[in-house]
């Protein structure tokens, strides 16, 4: 019998590439997203497009039920839905802070909790949480985003221990810069009328960031997700992209102070 993937945020970028990758390997895919009407063309043999907004617990329950009705079982959950807020923290509204956490953290928890009884009953299942290089290292003006991804790292690592005795594996995938809608349509820019004290710093950061950025294609992350989902090992973390590898390995090799000095210098801060 074919295996089944349940994935959130399947409308674009890493999520969409992962739908194609698993389908091409012969898997069933429950491709969930906020606006399924806009992506009806994705539905195909073995692929169901299902409505799911991770910030709405009711919609999560309905979507998991629909996937189980369609395919009978779920083998792998990929918590991919997420986006980044960019800008000085001081400029963030309550709504922007809450939405960032509701999507990247609470939403991921809702979906995980909804699928757990199914994984527990069958004594197996893999949960792949999409974190980021930004869940292991930080850059200025992404404080909200980093806060959410560091939360995903801690949450996932704790669950890794808690669920292993039940036969459920937890995996964290940490992409570097990836060519998706992340830096375009999905970016929530933090701005506040009259607040210009950070403008020069933001400009300098943007310039140094653009100069050092070499983004990888989303298919590379899909491949790493597939490896994490199917390698049958207890490995927790998987890095996707040479840039992420460089940052994470450098941080592990040198002292905290050296690392912070290196980042400050690179960013001209
Ligand atoms: N691109 C990068 O450089 C990068 C690097 C590291 C980590 N990541 C992580 O990779 C994941 C996917 O991002 P991406 O790069 O593929 O960007 P993307 O193309 O913008 O995709 C983001 C996806 O999340 C969905 N989403 C947002 N809010 C949602 C909600 N409330 N409920 C359900 N889905 C929601 C979006 O759906 P809509 O179409 O409805 O907006 C979209 O499908 C994110 O967790 C991101 O943090 C990305």
């Amino acid at each position: 019998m074919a295996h089944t993937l349940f994935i959130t945020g399947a409308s674009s970028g890493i999520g969409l590439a992962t739908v194609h990758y698993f389908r091409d390997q012969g898997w069933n895919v429950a491709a969930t997203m906020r606006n399924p009407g806009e992506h009806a063309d994705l539905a195909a043999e073995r692929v169901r497009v299902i409505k799911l907004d991770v910030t709405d617990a009711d919609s999560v329950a309905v979507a998991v039920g629909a996937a189980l009705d369609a395919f009978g079982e779920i083998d792998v959950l990929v918590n991919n839905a997420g986006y980044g807020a960019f800008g000085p923290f001081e400029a963030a509204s309550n709504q922007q802070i809450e939405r960032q956490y509701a999507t990247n953290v609470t939403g991921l928890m809702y979906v995980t909790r909804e699928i757990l009884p199914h994984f527990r009953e069958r004594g197996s299942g893999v949960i792949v949480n999409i974190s980021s290089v930004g869940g292991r290292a930080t850059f200025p003006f992404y404080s909200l985003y980093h806060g959410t991804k560091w939360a995903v790292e801690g949450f996932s690592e704790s669950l890794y221990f808690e669920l292993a005795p039940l036969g459920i594996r937890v995996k964290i995938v940490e992409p570097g810069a990836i060519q998706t809608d992340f830096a375009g349509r999905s970016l929530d820019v933090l701005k506040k009328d009259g607040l210009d004290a950070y403008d020069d710093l933001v400009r300098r950061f943007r310039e140094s960031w653009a100069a050092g950025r070499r983004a990888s294609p989303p298919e590379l992350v899909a491949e790493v997700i597939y490896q994490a989902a199917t390698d049958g090992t207890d490995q927790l973390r998987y890095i996707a992209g040479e840039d992420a590898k460089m940052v994470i390995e450098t941080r592990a090799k040198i002292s905290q102070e050296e690392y912070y000095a290196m980042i400050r210098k690179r960013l001209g801060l």
Side-chain angles (χ1 to χ4, degrees):
M1 205 175 81
H3 292 301
T4 299
L5 164 71
F6 185 100
I7 183 166
T8 64
S11 62
S12 68
I14 294 168
L16 184 58
T18 304
V19 169
H20 290 307
Y21 195 92
F22 276 70
R23 190 206 51 205
D24 291 350
Q25 310 303 316
W27 283 54
N28 299 319
V29 180
T32 78
M33 59 188 72
R34 289 190 287 193
N35 300 303
E38 292 171 13
H39 300 275
D41 54 334
L42 192 57
E45 203 192 345
R46 301 196 307 277
V47 179
R48 290 289 168 93
V49 179
I50 296 171
K51 184 175 173 61
L52 192 165
D53 180 335
V54 296
T55 63
D56 174 353
D58 291 339
S59 119
V60 171
V62 171
V64 171
L68 287 173
D69 284 347
F71 298 121
E73 298 210 37
I74 295 168
D75 298 273
V76 172
L77 161 64
V78 175
N79 279 311
N80 164 72
Y83 73 95
F86 173 82
F89 170 69
E90 193 184 332
S93 67
N94 290 349
Q95 194 264 343
Q96 284 174 310
I97 295 171
E98 283 156 17
R99 191 170 78 94
Q100 179 75 106
Y101 278 81
T103 307
N104 293 13
V105 183
T106 320
L108 173 147
M109 291 176 176
Y110 287 165
V111 182
T112 302
R113 191 182 55 188
E114 194 62 41
I115 275 185
L116 274 180
H118 175 63
F119 281 1
R120 193 168 37 72
E121 276 159 27
R122 61 203 290 273
S124 69
V126 184
I127 299 166
V128 182
N129 289 336
I130 307 306
S131 174
S132 166
V133 62
R136 301 285 293 284
T138 64
F139 305 99
F141 307 117
Y142 279 106
S143 60
L144 285 184
Y145 181 67
H146 287 306
T148 66
K149 292 299 185 182
W150 283 55
V152 167
E153 294 271 342
F155 172 70
S156 306
E157 192 176 290
S158 175
L159 274 192
Y160 167 83
F161 295 117
E162 183 173 320
L163 298 177
L166 305 177
I168 303 166
R169 290 197 163 94
V170 176
K171 308 278 182 174
I172 303 170
V173 170
E174 297 159 337
I178 308 297
Q179 296 149 8
T180 67
D181 289 342
F182 182 83
R185 141 189 107 82
S186 293
L187 200 71
D188 185 15
V189 178
L190 309 176
K191 271 195 193 133
K192 192 175 178 185
D193 283 349
L195 180 63
D196 56 12
Y198 298 91
D199 288 1
D200 186 46
L201 284 171
V202 171
R203 186 187 48 75
R204 275 157 50 198
F205 171 70
R206 273 186 184 280
E207 282 168 11
S208 67
W209 185 253
R213 232 173 119 86
R214 215 175 317 123
S216 307
E219 289 73 23
L220 179 137
V221 188
E223 210 176 320
V224 173
I225 292 172
Y226 188 77
Q227 186 202 342
T230 59
D231 68 6
T233 71
D234 291 330
Q235 183 178 335
L236 171 61
R237 291 187 164 85
Y238 297 73
I239 302 173
E242 285 306 313
D243 58 338
K245 207 168 161 204
M246 202 269 288
V247 171
I248 292 169
E249 287 180 355
T250 303
R251 188 164 189 169
K253 263 192 235 145
I254 60 180
S255 72
Q256 297 275 334
E257 289 68 28
E258 285 169 324
Y259 177 79
Y260 297 141
M262 188 189 82
I263 295 290
R264 279 203 308 269
K265 190 170 165 214
R266 201 191 122 199
L267 300 177
L269 298 172

